[in-house]
Amino acid sequence: MPISVGLVLVMGTAILMTLTSGTPLLSSRLSHPYMTPITLGLAGALCIWLALFGQAHRAWRLFLGCAGVSVLLLSASRGPLLAAVIGVAAGLLVHSSRRVLMGAVAAVLLAAGISTLSVGEGNGLLTRLVQSDTNGRDLVWANALSAYQSAPVTGVGPYFLGRHLQSPGTSCELWTGPTGTLTCPSWLQDIGSPWLIAHNGALHQIAETGPLGLSGLFILIGAVVLVAWRSRDALGIAVLSGLLVANLTDNTLIAPSAFYAETFWLIAGVQLARTRELKFSQGLTGAALLVVLAFPVWAAALSARPAPPGALLFIRAPESVSMPQGYTIYTSWRLLPGQYRLVLRSCLQSCAPVQVTSIDTHGRETISLEITGPIRNVPVQTLQLQLYPAISGTDALPLATHEWSVSLRR
């Protein structure tokens, strides 16, 4: 009950803030002073699981389910929506009483009603929910893979991946404050950005702790999931499976968090209390989950480098500068008609983004660009100019790469 009350307060705050900001509720994503739309979507998903498989009073579960479905859809977050569906399906496989089935049907009907109302307000929320792009995560995965390659045995260290992912000149990123700006306490400045994530749980874990840490985590997860399944814990298996699926494009296991990591490990602890010994089947379960959830890693490893859609005709990039701020390059490309992203990265042992520029080559035989951004304040670094499709997918490999070294004059 306490967690559901807290979730309702969070969702109520999001709806109130969205309404008072003058934003149409059914045509734009929910906003909150401290939580992202993805976090709000996970709150809605957790409310749905609690409503269907929890033990609270029937009236409270009904209210909780309605609130959860509404906020999940209004957040327009695809990852939490998938997590909610998988969690409900897993829970139904464990416990499919008439009450639970009727609740699931009611949730589907409510979702259909909200979707119908959204169509009348411009269809903005539904359009985002059915999009298949990964919203720039391919670039994050590429940077996280470069961080792992810098320390393939041990990883870069727990909570230290963020400093490899943050752009040059960025000191610390932790959470979004009420003004919409990223804030970070002064005592965390030396760590970097501990909650700047790889947007994939398995990739994040291997980048921070190496293969040994990744193996240990998924052996533990396999044991937890298998015990919950065999004990017929519908709520436990719904929460565990749903939050694990969310790790495909986010990371719901890093604590402290808004609520989801704590919820996951609390449920996991309940399952571990039922465990008497580790079994081979638990390891196999963990291995199967790892294969499913680590798709950016094996997709990048198995994918052949795509053929470039054109050629770099000209680039003027200083190889020596006196200050890291305002580094400027001039470049010209001949590309097939289409939309692309040009990514400027700064690399030491790992690479971090400097600037991302969108380009459209329709109706142009060649395109010339000026790209400016801050580079690292180090004596020598390698810069990379990479070409990606405009629509981000699951492949972290660029279409083309050009690199050069830059030194900083003291």
Side-chain angles (χ1 to χ4, degrees):
M1 177 68 76
I3 188 173
S4 60
V5 172
L7 291 172
V8 168
L9 290 175
V10 165
M11 295 188 297
T13 303
I15 293 175
L16 183 62
M17 277 203 61
T18 304
L19 290 174
T20 55
S21 67
T23 305
L25 189 61
L26 294 175
S27 60
S28 62
R29 305 180 77 181
L30 287 178
S31 60
H32 191 277
Y34 293 104
M35 295 189 182
T36 66
I38 292 175
T39 305
L40 294 173
L42 290 173
L46 183 53
C47 283
I48 294 172
W49 301 328
L50 289 170
L52 289 176
F53 307 111
Q55 300 299 320
H57 190 275
R58 181 179 299 178
W60 177 248
R61 291 202 315 271
L62 178 62
F63 171 74
L64 201 61
C66 293
V69 171
S70 301
V71 169
L72 177 62
L73 291 179
L74 293 176
S75 72
S77 298
R78 293 164 293 177
L81 179 61
L82 177 62
V85 171
I86 295 298
V88 169
L92 287 174
L93 288 175
V94 170
H95 179 68
S96 56
S97 67
R98 181 181 177 184
R99 175 183 67 83
V100 174
L101 289 173
M102 289 180 62
V105 170
V108 171
L109 293 176
L110 177 59
I114 294 174
S115 301
T116 303
L117 291 175
S118 175
V119 172
E121 294 291 333
N123 208 24
L125 295 179
L126 281 181
T127 300
R128 192 181 190 284
L129 286 174
V130 299
Q131 289 174 343
S132 60
D133 70 291
T134 56
N135 199 26
R137 285 172 172 80
D138 54 343
L139 304 183
V140 180
W141 294 334
N143 295 331
L145 285 169
S146 75
Y148 166 63
Q149 291 165 355
S150 71
V153 177
T154 62
V156 299
Y159 297 97
F160 276 94
L161 178 60
R163 71 193 319 176
H164 293 263
L165 300 178
Q166 65 187 17
S167 300
T170 304
S171 58
C172 187
E173 295 181 13
L174 183 56
W175 62 71
T176 303
T179 61
T181 59
L182 293 168
T183 61
C184 189
S186 58
W187 56 271
L188 274 178
Q189 295 290 333
D190 292 337
I191 296 179
S193 300
W195 277 264
L196 192 58
I197 62 173
H199 282 283
N200 177 268
L203 178 56
H204 193 107
Q205 186 69 21
I206 197 172
E208 288 197 335
T209 63
L212 185 61
L214 178 68
S215 301
L217 174 65
F218 274 87
I219 289 173
L220 175 62
I221 290 175
V224 164
V225 170
L226 196 59
V227 170
W229 178 265
R230 289 178 173 173
S231 62
R232 316 303 291 176
D233 184 349
L235 178 59
I237 199 67
V239 173
L240 292 172
S241 59
L243 290 180
L244 281 173
V245 166
N247 278 274
L248 284 168
T249 55
D250 287 286
N251 194 330
T252 57
L253 306 184
I254 300 178
S257 70
F259 62 86
Y260 38 82
E262 290 78 5
T263 302
F264 180 91
W265 291 115
L266 179 63
I267 298 293
V270 172
Q271 311 310 319
L272 287 175
R274 299 169 176 166
T275 305
R276 296 294 176 261
E277 59 180 348
L278 287 177
K279 298 180 180 179
F280 183 70
S281 58
Q282 296 169 344
L284 284 180
T285 303
L289 290 171
L290 175 58
V291 170
V292 173
L293 297 179
F295 79 92
V297 180
W298 53 257
L302 298 178
S303 298
R305 186 170 294 277
L312 175 63
L313 301 178
F314 167 80
I315 183 169
R316 189 177 76 182
E319 296 183 353
S320 178
V321 293
S322 58
M323 61 181 62
Q325 295 82 15
Y327 183 83
T328 302
I329 67 171
Y330 300 90
T331 180
S332 179
W333 294 76
R334 178 182 287 117
L335 298 169
L336 294 175
Q339 294 180 322
Y340 304 91
R341 290 169 293 165
L342 269 180
V343 182
L344 181 62
R345 300 202 304 176
S346 171
C347 303
L348 295 175
Q349 283 119 352
S350 61
C351 299
V354 173
Q355 188 66 260
V356 180
T357 304
S358 299
I359 58 176
D360 189 342
T361 61
H362 285 102
R364 302 184 187 181
E365 184 176 346
T366 63
I367 185 168
S368 299
L369 298 163
E370 174 185 332
I371 301 175
T372 301
I375 60 176
R376 285 188 167 107
N377 188 15
V378 295
V380 179
Q381 63 193 290
T382 298
L383 294 185
Q384 292 182 340
L385 187 62
Q386 297 184 320
L387 182 71
Y388 280 87
I391 299 177
S392 55
T394 59
D395 190 355
L397 293 177
L399 300 172
T401 299
H402 178 78
E403 65 178 46
W404 65 98
S405 295
V406 176
S407 60
L408 191 61
R409 298 190 299 269
R410 300 295 183 179

